[in-house]
Amino acid sequence: MSTSTSDALTAADLERLAQAESPDLVDAIRALLSAPDVAPDAETKPLPKDAFGFDKLLYALTRAQARYDSAGRREASTEAWQRFLAQKDVPRPERLALADLLVALYEKNTDSARAALMALASTADLRFGLWGGLKRIYKLAEARLDAEMFGVLAWRFDVARRHSSRHEVSGGTLTYLRRRAWRFLRHLGAAVPEVYPQFAVEVLRHYELNTEWYGVWVANHIWAHGSNQYGATTFHFGSVPKDLVKHRAFPDAWKRSPDALMRLLDTCRSDEAARFAIQGLRKDFPEVLRKVTPAWLNRIARRPLESAHDFMVETLQGSPEFHQGKLRELGLHDAVLALLASPSDKARAYAIEYARAHAQDLDSERLAELAEGVATDVRAFAAAMLEKRNPRELGLPLLGRLLGIQATAAFAARSLEQSFDRAELPGSFLRDMYLGASAQLDWAKRFVASKYAATELPASFWKELLEDPRLAKRPYPVEGIALKALGQYPAAAIGPEWMLDKAAHPRIGQIVTGWLSRADSLPGLDVEKVKGAVFSAKHRAVALMLLGNRKLFSARQLTVPWLLALARRADPTLHGFAHRYLLENVAPADFSDTGDAAAGLERLFELALGAKQPVPVRAFAQAYLRCHHPVIGPEQPESKSYELKPRAPRKAYTPEKLWPALFDARDDVRRFALAITRAELRAWGWHTRVYELAEAEAKEVRNLAYDALLRAGEDGADARHVLHVEELDPVKVFSLTESTKRSTREVAVELIRRHYARLGGAERLAWLMQSADREVGLFAVRLLWEKHRPTHLPEDWKPSNAKQAPAVGGGERFPDVEALRDFLRRMLFGLPPGRAKEAREGEVRKRLSASEAKRRVIELVRDLGLEDESFARVVAPVLGEFTGSLAKGEWQSCLASLVQLRTAHPDARLGGL
């Protein structure tokens, strides 16, 4: 059945081809038989739910053939076919229409129609459709006594039974048909003996050389029926008998005429059939064999049949008319020489004898073919004939061919080495030998090694050998030989451009790349071509390797603009190469069009910091400026890896370029600026502006400020950016306590704690108490108490829960408790409107009212009093005085604080209420 594709064959197509007697008919039928069994409208018209489709039919037939009883097999098969054919709504495979088509061809009975049927009967797969047609034609051939058609079909049924599993037709059916074929022959031999040989010969002539005779039925009956060595389905002898006429069926029928046997001998395909014909002719018609014509013998010589060739030799040897001296005149010269390729030992021996005496002019090419043959005697004869000939007359191509033939290899090698000068053996011939058989390759290696010095052959010879298309099929070991030889030549002799191209070769690329990497010069290699190869994925690695070799190409040849363009590439391999090359090989002056170093450095800073520069370019420029900085350059990992020496003056790294970069939104720009700033901050004289950095959004920038401030006065601190203690600005430090950055406020508090003697004072602490950050305000109150407590308190006094006494110094103590209370009164009563609360990003700063500011200070004083009883005794009277304030918020805060203090210290005598 045809496929669903629009170009699939249909039965109608085959019908048109048959009517036209097209030579393509047989191939079209075979194509239809091999096509999948898919209905043309299977997608648009699916089968009914319970349909018994063709695939189910085939499965049912297979199941039926698996049954043990013949009646059951027959019944199940018949039932399956009846069920399938009874369905009207299930499409039938297109190939089932072949049966009627084949019968129509048979009825047509033209030469082309019969030739098509013979071809299909001989070779087509026995599948349903074709099979139905062949079976019907077979029955018609029997009825019409059509010997030719009967013979091909009977033979096909006979040999197909042995391999019935390969066909859709069951083994039982094939067994029946081949038994029927012999039964027909048997009845024919009994009823019409004069016709029997003709039909038997038509069957026998189709059996082939590779026939498995122990599985054959019809042929064995024809020549061994009288032996009675057969059962119901097979013969009992293991091989074909030597005497094929002793037990032949209907022997008298064969004695009527030699014509059938002569036709069999003239057309058979198997040696056994030829032997049957020869034995029958010798027994019944010996006079016919004595009268054979040269033309008939000529035909027999061309058949690849041992028995036929033996018979021919016997005929030639047994008749004076066929004396060897007369064979050329009779037109049998070429026929006898054809026996040199015979499967018969006897025939080959006769042919060799004849050739030695009468065919000394045998063509050399023909002798070479014989020397390559299977038979030892013929190979020896051909080799001996060739060795008698002049090597120069044989010629180089033939001698090269003889090198690959075992029987003539020694002669050919000797002839090439002794009869020809090395200059007479062209490179094309040597290449053919290198790419030939093992013997040819071995000779070529020995010849080149003995006749040529290491690099005496032109490099082009080895290059052409490596490029020969034949090498792709069998590269080992020739490829290795050629590479080893070519590797001894200088790069200039090999050809730089050739090597660049071959460096991407999947097999030899690695070796060629090694040659390129070791080259000190590659004359003629265009730098622009190499630069272009960088953008080819398969050539990139080699191109970058070559461009990076300063012996081959200078930085001037690569050009800085091209390298910078490469650095802009997203591909990490490309911008990585440009990055390294520029670092290692390009001076600052090269970045300027005028060759000025200062202008080149300006260009580098533009690349490192520019707003529109891509990340890879910035990364390179930043690394270059870091590595070539006189101070930090030697510390950079790239400098250590590439052994770089700083080339930029320190004055090129100005704060005007780098200070704004510290506040840049790009991480890489900030990191670069920080690296330079750490080394240049004091040298610039901008160390006093470090407070600005504490307000930066980037944590790493603030950390630079923190480090510069917190490490002030430390031994071992980096003097390049760390401030001295005397350089700490009290106003700016206290201003940092108002920062919106918590970490900055904490750093400011820590600075005040560490350096209170320089930065502190009671009035400043009073201002600090107004901070919106409760922790800062509480710190200020605590510091006021620690640094300015009354002088009557002992030196070893410590607040409650403290492990040690606070450090004293830096601030003047109040002479007594009353003086401290007066300070607190002034601070509270004279407190101006509060400082603005720190605004978060996107918020507006709002000024605090005086009452709110006082409330916060009251709460801070209260909190310290809750922790320290001594301080509570000092502040309680002051808070008590504020309970009389007219401001509701103030007296309420004071009253609540006093209550909390008394609750926290019930045993203390706290005034104020």
Side-chain angles (χ1 to χ4, degrees), residues 215 230 714:
Y230 55 87
E714 283 188 11

Side-chain angles (χ1 to χ4, degrees), residues 69-88:
D69 58 305
S70 59
R73 289 195 296 270
R74 186 165 51 255
E75 181 181 353
S77 298
T78 301
E79 180 183 348
W81 274 109
Q82 289 176 347
R83 180 181 176 186
F84 174 74
L85 296 174
Q87 300 174 112
K88 296 182 179 180

